[in-house]
Amino acid sequence: MAQKENNNVSKKTLQWYNGHDWLNGLQLKPHRSIDKKEFARQYRANKTGWDKAFEYLRTTDLEDIGPGTFQIDGKNVYVIITEGPGKSFEQGKWESHRHYSDIQYVIKGKEWMGIEPFTSLKLTEPYDGPKDIAFYTGEGKYYIGDPEQFFIFFPQDAHRPGIKVDNDAPVKKIVIKIRTGE
């Protein structure tokens, strides 16, 4: 879905996105699957939160930080760091969130990340408000997440992260949760 929607992006939005000023000096590459139009909308709605997220990625020594959950800006922006082997394809679940977008970046290792509009999938576990998550089954597109690029998943994007690429090779990953500009 992201690729199709990116074909409908205005010239102004595309210039803004490709200018990368929004990265605030972060040298990581955004993955091509990011929905540019939705990102521009979300960024405008919560610029402070997105700027704090990218600043955290730029200024934090991600190699040295250990697993855990860390607040950047209360419930507006927070970080989850995980480290360990990925899941098997069968263990991986499609998920979506209503109130948060995710920046997902593999610090060390590689993992498969799936992305598909949640409307194209079959709901298996209804939305859980306190956990801000719903689960699905179905087919989607898969990309390899590695230290070269980051992904952004929005509320309409079901995603299936954490699927192992190299048997039980460890993966260290950061997920930054940014409250959506609803």
Side-chain angles (χ1 to χ4, degrees):
M1 177 170 182
Q3 290 292 35
K4 184 178 179 185
E5 287 184 14
N6 285 333
N7 293 334
N8 299 322
V9 177
S10 73
K11 234 182 208 182
K12 184 178 177 182
T13 297
L14 204 52
Q15 286 175 330
W16 168 81
Y17 182 87
N18 290 335
H20 291 173
D21 289 342
W22 50 271
L23 284 170
N24 296 317
L26 177 66
Q27 295 301 306
L28 297 176
K29 188 170 79 174
H31 191 266
R32 64 185 169 89
S33 66
I34 295 170
D35 181 335
K36 294 166 183 64
K37 185 177 181 180
E38 180 63 15
F39 177 59
R41 189 182 81 72
Q42 290 291 339
Y43 186 86
R44 281 191 303 270
N46 186 5
K47 181 182 184 313
T48 301
W50 286 97
D51 286 348
K52 287 179 180 184
F54 290 121
E55 178 73 10
Y56 185 89
L57 280 172
R58 188 176 67 76
T59 60
T60 303
D61 184 348
L62 299 175
E63 294 288 329
D64 284 344
I65 195 167
T69 301
F70 308 95
Q71 304 249 330
I72 296 175
D73 183 16
K75 291 184 177 184
N76 190 42
V77 183
Y78 65 95
V79 172
I80 303 166
I81 306 267
T82 57
E83 194 165 8
K87 299 174 258 188
S88 70
F89 189 79
E90 295 74 30
Q91 291 171 316
K93 291 183 178 183
W94 288 100
E95 63 183 63
S96 73
H97 314 289
R98 289 187 185 169
H99 300 291
Y100 287 91
S101 294
D102 289 359
I103 297 174
Q104 296 200 14
Y105 171 61
V106 174
I107 301 163
K108 270 194 287 197
K110 291 180 181 180
E111 70 177 41
W112 286 105
M113 292 197 198
I115 183 169
E116 186 69 21
F118 75 85
T119 54
S120 299
L121 302 171
K122 182 180 177 193
L123 184 67
T124 58
E125 293 179 45
Y127 179 74
D128 180 331
K131 293 181 181 177
D132 189 40
I133 198 163
F135 293 100
Y136 308 84
T137 60
E139 301 297 319
K141 293 184 180 109
Y142 291 88
Y143 304 96
I144 290 190
D146 59 28
E148 300 296 317
Q149 58 204 336
F150 64 88
F151 291 76
I152 301 177
F153 303 115
F154 302 104
Q156 71 270 17
D157 300 324
H159 47 287
R160 190 176 187 183
I163 299 170
K164 60 184 162 188
V165 171
D166 298 323
N167 292 328
D168 291 326
V171 173
K172 184 174 185 180
K173 180 177 175 180
I174 183 170
V175 176
I176 302 181
K177 309 288 275 181
I178 301 104
R179 187 173 293 280
T180 58
E182 303 166 75

